[in-house]
Amino acid sequence: MNALWITLALLIAGFAGWPVTALVFRLARTIDDRADAGQAADAVDGTTGSDADAGPGWSDDPTDGAATTAAGTPAVPAAPSTETPTPETPAPDNPTPAPVPAAAVGTRILRGGAIIGVLERLAVALAILAGQPVAIAYVVAIKGLGRFAELKETPVAAERFIIGTLTSMLWAAGVAALARVLLQA
């Protein structure tokens, strides 16, 4: 019966942790999107989050030394045009393919992360079920060394690595600890 509980705990820790990690990534992205939207709004109205606490010399009045429109709202300077001049259409006898914009190519950050995450959660759960939580340090070290070069050059990847690793490990440790308590009862 214990083997069944251990197997069930490993399956739940290893494979059910992926949706939990994906949910945390989505939550983190939502928080980042809200912060970015707040910063964009501050950039448009010319304020920052700390303007109100900045003391004398700062004003929330849009007409205080700023250009305004006829309606009294702050005038926002037009953004520089991001349009690129379009080349002339090539002759039908010599067509050239249109260049693919860099943003459309889309680079994947931390390839193989789902498989590594499953293996990581299984290793953490096994370490806790076996009564060897020190082995978790080996998992973290191996994972960190394997990703070091990519994490060093890409800050977004480093942030994603930390969020994913902590979420995975907390999930696996929680499931394994619960299974261990149930096995001892």
Side-chain angles (χ1 to χ4, degrees):
M1 187 66 166
N2 283 347
L4 179 65
W5 282 111
I6 291 171
T7 303
L8 183 63
L10 288 174
L11 288 174
I12 291 172
F15 296 101
W18 179 81
V20 173
T21 304
L23 179 68
V24 171
F25 279 137
R26 187 174 299 129
L27 176 65
R29 189 176 324 129
T30 302
I31 291 169
D32 287 347
D33 290 347
R34 287 184 184 163
D36 291 345
Q39 288 175 352
D42 288 346
V44 168
D45 68 8
T47 63
T48 62
S50 61
D51 283 354
D53 299 327
W58 287 95
S59 172
D60 289 333
D61 182 10
T63 61
D64 189 20
T68 59
T69 63
T73 58
V76 178
S81 174
T82 58
E83 291 183 24
T84 57
T86 57
E88 293 182 26
T89 307
D93 57 340
N94 188 13
T96 56
V100 178
V105 173
T107 59
R108 288 194 55 192
I109 298 172
L110 299 177
R111 294 178 52 96
I115 294 169
I116 294 170
V118 169
L119 294 173
E120 169 193 347
R121 289 186 291 273
L122 287 172
V124 168
L126 273 172
I128 290 175
L129 288 171
Q132 299 295 324
V134 173
I136 296 171
Y138 298 126
V139 173
V140 173
I142 291 168
K143 188 175 178 187
L145 287 173
R147 295 284 193 185
F148 180 74
E150 190 174 3
L151 297 176
K152 187 176 177 183
E153 68 185 38
T154 314
V156 173
E159 182 177 324
R160 188 169 175 88
F161 176 83
I162 292 169
I163 292 170
T165 299
L166 290 176
T167 302
S168 286
M169 289 191 169
L170 286 172
W171 173 261
V175 169
L178 180 63
R180 198 171 158 113
V181 167
L182 292 175
L183 287 173
Q184 291 176 353

